[in-house]
Amino acid sequence: MKKIKTLQCIRCGKDHKLNDTKYNCTACGGNLQVLYDYNLIKKRLNYDVLKDNREHSIWRYLDILPVASIKNVPPVQVGWTPLYKAEKLGAEAGVNNLYIKDDGRNPSASFKDRASAVVTARALEMKEKVICCASTGNAASSLACLTGSLDMKTMIFVPETAPAAKVAQLLVFGATVIMVKGTYDDAFELCLKASAEYGWYNRSTGINPFTREGKKTCSFEICEQMNWETPDKVFVSVGDGNIISGIWKGFVEFHRLGIIERLPQLVAVQAERSDSIKRAFESGTDVQPVSGVTVADSISVSLPRDGMAAVMAIRDSGGFAVSVTDAEILAAIPRIARGSNVFAEPAGAATYAGLLKAVKEGKVKDNESVVLLISGNGLKDIQSAMKSVGKPFVIKPDMAELKKLVADNALA
Ligand SMILES: *Cc1c(COP(=O)(O)O)cnc(C)c1O
Ligand SMILES: [Zn+2]
């Protein structure tokens, strides 16, 4: 592919050709990033071309994706999710210009579809027959969804504790599901070994250099949807760190192409006990494992697989990291729903909990424009959602009972 210049190691800087390696740096094992011939791309992808482009999915950015043509892409709409101005929620948080990017509106109901779509298209172009993935749940259900109708076998490794809705998705879309008695980190290691043993193409976060490429498309959309303006801050919930590094890459590339004039600050939101990236960012040391325990399963990670790139993204953007408790995450679910009509899964809701904390600490000014990335839909994990709300009334189908209920609870 002429548009790709190099797969460059983010740790040691070694350059690789597309055929040199499928996964990590051949010298040091570091994660790779895809760098393009930006002068070539500038001629094809610019403001004039984009404003007339009627392809409303991630494939409107094909010129800067590691895929040769759209002949081989999964046949469902990924990306171009809505960006809402959230007036009421913003007023509650004390932020006048609050926006919600609702990525729960993707085919499998999470942000991960952006990555799975690009990796699946790559796999088809490379004529891979079996694709595998370790996941807390969403990366897997996304991969299962996007390969559902394709002539490709999908092998999934998830922790036994993955939420039921995500497991249902895996089975419905026809993936082979291997539940691992252990954590996400255990599932990750087993998937890595399986990929080496059987030659399966591995989509797992961190080792596959193309997931970040799909994820960056969200930033392109935010710029377009904000009328080519850059928001001041983007709040992103962080587990492995691949979303936030992808979000950063997207803004950097649009800036490099001259499509936007300035870059936003990124705010990483982590769960209190799954905060490895926050610790590394604040202490300036390497990413170290933490317990990883949190109700927000999608950001429950002991050792982040794209931690170094995430720390670089926070630092280079001049942003910061916040951590939130499980109670704060759960409380944010109904607040977002009632303040903006969007139902978020715990990891998505964490961004609002993080915003409240950052506002309280004086780190967000009231005139700044702020985007919250809602990375997954609330229906993905109703068990957690139910913990944050009351119980329904239950009565016989009888008017007298209803009248008593209304009177007793002052409902009318
Ligand atoms: C995967 C995921 C995240 C975190 O992304 P990382 O790349 O692991 O940091 C956040 N929210 C949801 C809903 C996810 O599925
Ligand atoms: Zn290297």
Side-chain angles (χ1 to χ4, degrees):
M1 252 179 283
K2 221 174 90 193
K3 60 190 169 186
I4 295 181
K5 255 205 158 137
T6 175
L7 304 187
Q8 191 173 68
C9 176
I10 63 162
R11 191 193 288 162
C12 77
K14 182 181 163 78
D15 288 312
H16 301 72
K17 294 208 180 62
L18 209 47
N19 295 327
D20 289 350
T21 173
K22 279 185 181 171
Y23 309 113
N24 291 23
C25 174
T26 53
C28 78
N31 291 358
L32 301 181
Q33 65 168 332
V34 186
L35 295 177
Y36 297 83
D37 181 342
Y38 294 99
N39 289 329
L40 176 79
I41 289 171
K42 225 177 207 170
K43 294 184 199 127
R44 301 182 192 160
L45 190 76
N46 49 52
Y47 167 78
D48 291 312
V49 171
L50 282 171
K51 79 174 167 34
D52 297 327
N53 188 330
R54 302 239 290 257
E55 172 63 54
H56 285 134
S57 75
I58 62 167
W59 304 116
R60 66 193 273 107
Y61 309 111
L62 179 69
D63 287 322
I64 195 160
L65 290 173
V67 175
S69 97
I70 56 163
K71 271 207 315 270
N72 273 327
V73 304
V76 285
Q77 186 201 317
V78 175
W80 205 256
T81 57
L83 181 83
Y84 301 119
K85 180 96 194 279
E87 301 280 0
K88 186 173 176 213
L89 193 66
E92 282 174 20
V95 176
N96 296 329
N97 293 301
L98 183 66
Y99 295 84
I100 295 246
K101 179 69 169 162
D102 185 11
D103 251 57
R105 292 279 296 271
N106 276 303
S108 81
S110 92
F111 185 100
K112 295 292 194 299
D113 287 337
R114 297 179 183 275
S116 295
V118 167
V119 174
T120 299
R122 273 293 301 155
L124 287 172
E125 288 182 354
M126 293 187 297
K127 308 225 174 336
E128 299 285 352
K129 290 275 172 266
V130 184
I131 191 163
C132 65
C133 174
S135 165
T136 57
N138 281 339
S141 57
S142 160
L143 186 65
C145 168
L146 294 178
T147 57
S149 73
L150 305 180
D151 187 17
M152 196 187 283
K153 265 191 82 167
T154 306
M155 309 292 294
I156 297 300
F157 296 81
V158 286
E160 208 181 11
T161 51
K166 300 182 186 184
V167 178
Q169 286 183 294
L170 294 172
L171 296 169
V172 166
F173 287 116
T176 301
V177 184
I178 299 166
M179 289 194 123
V180 178
K181 294 178 191 291
T183 61
Y184 164 57
D185 299 77
D186 296 324
F188 189 97
E189 291 300 331
L190 190 61
C191 181
L192 204 57
K193 288 179 191 153
S195 164
E197 175 80 17
Y198 302 109
W200 300 339
Y201 185 57
N202 195 342
R203 177 243 180 263
S204 293
T205 297
I207 68 156
N208 192 305
F210 303 115
T211 57
R212 224 187 274 127
E213 295 309 291
K215 291 176 176 184
K216 73 185 184 185
T217 58
C218 184
S219 306
F220 298 161
E221 292 172 19
I222 291 170
C223 296
E224 291 201 60
Q225 290 168 324
M226 291 186 75
N227 285 319
W228 316 93
E229 292 284 335
T230 310
D232 292 309
K233 287 190 169 65
V234 183
F235 279 67
V236 183
S237 63
V238 174
D240 274 318
N242 193 245
I243 293 186
I244 196 165
S245 58
I247 291 283
W248 181 237
K249 190 168 193 278
F251 285 113
V252 167
E253 286 186 340
F254 254 27
H255 190 249
R256 196 158 174 177
L257 293 172
I259 296 173
I260 54 170
E261 282 171 8
R262 54 186 195 96
L263 293 164
Q265 292 178 308
L266 300 191
V267 182
V269 181
Q270 293 210 280
E272 206 178 34
R273 281 172 292 170
S274 189
D275 63 344
S276 173
I277 287 168
K278 176 176 184 281
R279 283 166 187 260
F281 168 71
E282 288 172 357
S283 66
T285 56
D286 282 351
V287 252
Q288 306 285 346
V290 292
S291 86
V293 176
T294 166
V295 67
D297 69 292
S298 300
I299 50 173
S300 170
V301 174
S302 168
L303 182 67
R305 302 293 167 168
D306 209 12
M308 191 173 175
V311 170
M312 286 162 62
I314 305 165
R315 194 188 58 213
D316 293 350
S317 75
F320 57 91
V322 290
S323 67
V324 291
T325 65
D326 280 1
E328 288 167 333
I329 291 172
L330 291 178
I333 295 174
R335 290 190 71 176
I336 298 169
R338 295 165 200 183
S340 77
N341 313 65
V342 171
F343 188 11
E345 73 160 82
T351 54
Y352 185 63
L355 174 68
L356 294 179
K357 194 159 223 177
V359 169
K360 210 161 115 195
E361 291 172 0
K363 290 178 173 165
V364 179
K365 293 180 214 78
D366 60 7
N367 60 346
E368 284 185 315
S369 57
V370 174
V371 175
L372 299 183
L373 177 58
I374 301 297
S375 44
N377 187 282
L379 293 172
K380 288 270 197 177
D381 180 6
I382 52 168
Q383 238 186 330
S384 295
M386 293 295 269
K387 287 185 193 150
S388 62
V389 291
K391 296 240 174 331
F393 300 109
V394 182
I395 58 166
K396 292 203 193 84
D398 176 77
M399 198 56 201
E401 272 214 36
L402 177 65
K403 281 190 170 162
K404 182 170 185 310
L405 178 85
V406 169
D408 288 353
N409 294 281
L411 298 181

